[in-house]
Amino acid sequence: MSYTLYHAKYFAHELTQRFASKVTAEGFDDADNLDKLTASLSDAQVDLNPHQVDAALFALRSPLSQGVILADEVGLGKTIEAGIVISQRWAERKRRILIICPANLRKQWSQELADKFFLSSRILEKKSFEEATKKGNFNPFEQTETILICSFQFSRSKDAYVSRTNWDLVVIDEAHRLRNVYRKDNKIANALKDALSGKPKVLLTATPLQNSLLELYGLVSLVDDYIFGDLRSFRQQYARITSEIQFAELKQRIAPVCKRTLRAQVREYVRYTERLCITHSFTSADDEHELYTRVSEYLRKEKLYALPASQRALMTLILRKLLASSTFAIADTLRGLDQKLEAILARHEAVSIENGEDAWVQDFETAAEVQEEWNDDPDFDTVEERTAQYFSATELDEIRQELEEVRGFYQLAKSIQQNSKGDNLVIALKKGFEKMRELGAAEKAVIFTESVRTQQYIREILIKSGYDGKIVLFNGSNNDSESNRIYQEWIAKNKGSDRISGSRAADIRAALTECFRDEAQILIATEAAAEGINLQFCSLVVNYDMPWNPQRIEQRIGRCHRYGQRFNVVVINFLNERNAADVRVYQLLNEKFNLFNGVFGASDEVLGTIESGVDFEKRIVQIYQSCRTEQEIQTAFDALRHDLEESIALRVDQTHQQLLENFDEEVLEKIKVESEQRLDAFENKFWEFSRFALAPFADQFDDENHSFRLLKSPIDSIPTGNFRFLSHRLPHDRLPKDAQVYRIGHPLAKHFLQQFEKAAPPCAEVVFDTSVTTRKVTIPEYLIGASGWMQLETLTLESLESEDFLLFSGMDDEGVLLQPEQCRRMFSLSGQIVQDHLPGPDPDFQQALDAEIARQRRELEIQRNQQDVHLFNREMDKLDQWAGDRRMALHAELRALEQEIRLSRNNLRQINTLAERVKEQRRITDLEKKLADLRFQLHAAEDAIEADKNRFLDEVEKKLEVKPAQSTLFTIKWKII
């Protein structure tokens, strides 16, 4: 096939065409809105799951929407759904985008955006914020070059900056943390609600509703304050649903803003493997148990000088986790406590305590994130540090005794050269690899520990056991010599390719992950690897250390047990049978949270009972701290189990589930079929355009695999070499490792698209050949051998949603008009320019062509007006319901007060004593005054409601104002042979 400059210009405009949402009087048909997303879907390295496309279309339905809640169950890809929405907004050049998420998910979000959507992002935190302001950027949130990611706590602390930024989109992950926003004491939620008011939002949560419908009201109010009147009216209508009518009404009202899909509903499209658990029990040696017992008693003391009072609970958690990890982890930590106490004694100063920023905390890499999570909790209590400058003599004696005690722990820990758990690791690994062989899976294992020092200890054990040269370490710094060697080799191997991001942190993560995938057998990882990396090529997870936060465990296993995993995932857990508390914690994690078995692992219903896992973690710390005997431990855990069972029972409420579901199998099937067809058509058009544009620069074009070799780059920043087209038909994990990924968002593609969009070709004669085509193109028989004139114009209707139209007008030499579709089909044929720089059609032909363009434009403007009327009507319906809620609440209060006055007057007739009658009359008088005030307030409130309605209508009218723009792309003389 040969194409012309006119083909390329048409293709370039068609490939970059923008679409607006389509809506009828009956509502939105998401399958009919697929054109809006086609370019974004083709540019993303994600599998095409129809429920995810449906959710993204749901979020993009209306330009007047203030946002949506995507509430799919765990494991269905809410991150991908949000990523598609982000990618679409980015493509529309709406690039003020903010992601707010828990601190421990920031890296994961950054990695997902880069890996799946080729979008750059920056984590904004205290350090990077201050660096930006020092460079003169007085609002680091205000930018359009990259997507910003920050934690709940940080965005709350900078809410004034967040509020001043005119966001195009805000994504809030784990949004159920804000569900109690209706409570005025929830400072974080209320601050973020105020800061993000009026900004378009996508809220992601698997647990939008836990104990009360008021929580749903809270989340919906974060999205749009006009869905329900106010808290008072919501309570009156829905606090207790007693009828099907009430239930149906509530479901109808939240349906436009909340979408939930269950895992059971998409099994046809999404294949999940199972989890298989192996519990490897061991018994700690006497010296290890002695160390554990002595340090535990030390941590239970009321006063400790080595730990900062304001972070005592958090530091206790870290010390206990290091103690359970290995004697090597706790030994150096104890040495750090020893040195701190020595420093205090040397200076006699309290100020030497450094609030937890000690070097020994660095061994527990998630310390900063755990601290932020604990501080995110509105119920988190901090203890004031002492204000006295110097210690008293009595206190110094106590410090000397504590120092002697800590030094004894340290000496005992250093004397222990072997750990029972470490000795059992090799045995457990052999069991795991045997299971891998049985399943037919690769013999690869990821071993998780919470300590960097334990990580080194595990490495030494495995090297001695025959795994030398087969091990990769992965932690928060990745600065050991072996990791640096792997990184340098990866850089050299990928030199000149777009696989190198330029960020050492991101590139070394990629290098270590690929080394584990392609060369090594074992990855020993700290919690840093539980975030943001895809290990689906591995199906053996070893929890050497067990976090107490169930969501961290789920995150670990989720690195391997995820969509795309081909084998059942085996999870090995270590359990110290000599520690009664450890045994009970494991029972809860296994039986109540169901983390280690089954198809899906921990359900959102269960994980939702514990917020971010902090509540559960705190309860565990409290038990370890307060219980000494086995009986005390059993009693405390029984109480915790009972509380969990009650919470879980409240969560598993079928009424709540049904309220949020709006699943439609027919729509999903239609989306599945049509999205694949449209992507196929889009990708074929893009490939044909690219072949023409790249012809002077490349060779070895492979039409079957959509690959080519770039010999000479038109852009200095793009290296030459092999390129492979990103197609939804090609599994993304099987893209050739030696080829760059070519896609519509690639700088090379953007260069050519812009070049041909801007081209101004002269009027020419183009001959279209029906005998040369790669696919069947239907051309009417009477047009073969005919010739005539054709004009292509672009029309853009600019408003809140911009939409592009390509308007063809054509006619043959006899003056008979062609259908626009017949003109389009010509450009599916091979073409050749036989004469250029023609003078153009004569005035009569030109007038007829212009008249046809004008007719099409009028039709499109009428259709757009009808669309806007439907959108306006939907907003009016919502506004009327909102106003009705507000009025109903006011009138209900008025009626209640009138009823109280009537009852009081009846009571007055029954009273015989003068004193009591005077007292009751005064009460009635007060009620009547209150009634008069309420009636006055009612009138004022009515005026306020009407004022709000008018203001809202003015905003809607302004947003829907359409500004048309039209221009001619080219005019040609055509002939079909």
Side-chain angles (χ1 to χ4, degrees), residues 13 16-21 36 63-64 91-94 757 794-805 857 860-861 864-865 868 871 956-967:
H13 278 274
T16 56
Q17 190 174 355
R18 295 172 296 177
F19 297 88
S21 301
K36 186 181 182 71
L64 296 173
E92 294 169 358
R93 303 202 66 79
K94 296 177 179 178
E757 277 185 313
T794 178
L795 170 67
T796 297
L797 299 180
E798 289 277 1
S799 65
L800 196 61
E801 248 188 331
S802 299
E803 188 166 16
D804 301 320
F805 301 93
R857 173 173 170 168
L860 291 169
E861 288 178 335
R864 181 59 177 261
N865 183 65
D868 289 348
L871 287 171
V956 170
E957 185 179 25
K958 186 176 179 181
K959 287 175 180 178
L960 292 178
E961 182 183 352
V962 177
K963 299 172 185 174
Q966 186 174 338
S967 64

Side-chain angles (χ1 to χ4, degrees), residues 307-412:
L307 303 182
S310 62
Q311 298 292 326
R312 171 71 185 268
L314 184 63
M315 294 298 106
T316 299
L317 167 70
I318 293 172
L319 284 164
R320 283 195 170 279
K321 298 307 291 178
L322 293 174
L323 182 62
S325 180
S326 69
T327 57
F328 306 94
I330 197 67
D332 284 337
T333 301
L334 291 169
R335 179 60 183 151
L337 296 180
D338 180 316
Q339 291 170 343
K340 174 177 284 188
L341 292 168
E342 282 184 335
I344 293 173
L345 287 173
R347 293 200 292 268
H348 294 192
E349 290 179 359
V351 291
S352 62
I353 297 180
E354 298 175 89
N355 293 318
E357 295 297 326
D358 312 71
W360 55 269
V361 172
Q362 303 311 309
D363 182 38
F364 191 83
E365 285 187 329
T366 56
E369 289 175 5
V370 172
Q371 180 175 0
E372 185 159 3
E373 284 179 350
W374 282 41
N375 285 328
D376 269 349
D377 183 356
D379 298 323
F380 179 74
D381 292 324
T382 56
V383 179
E384 293 290 330
E385 291 286 357
R386 56 178 285 133
T387 55
Q389 284 292 103
Y390 298 98
F391 289 101
S392 67
T394 303
E395 288 174 322
L396 290 172
D397 284 340
E398 291 171 347
I399 293 168
R400 290 187 188 96
Q401 291 172 16
E402 184 175 332
L403 173 58
E404 186 177 342
E405 191 174 9
V406 169
R407 192 162 288 169
F409 303 155
Y410 170 66
Q411 289 167 351
L412 175 57

Side-chain angles (χ1 to χ4, degrees), residues 157 199 226 328 334 395 421 423 509 512 525 613 810 893 944 961 969:
S157 68
K199 314 294 195 301
Y226 289 97
F328 306 94
L334 291 169
E395 288 174 322
K421 184 162 59 167
D423 294 341
R509 288 167 71 88
L512 294 173
E893 190 174 346
E961 182 183 352
L969 299 183

Side-chain angles (χ1 to χ4, degrees), residues 65 98 171 194 258 287 300 396 442 453 494 501 516 566 574 690 709 778 832 957:
S65 169
L98 174 67
V171 174
D194 291 343
C258 186
D287 50 2
R300 292 188 183 107
L396 290 172
R453 294 188 185 105
N494 293 285
S501 72
F516 176 40
R566 295 165 55 209
F574 282 82
S690 298
R709 180 178 64 172
T778 304
Q832 184 179 357
E957 185 179 25

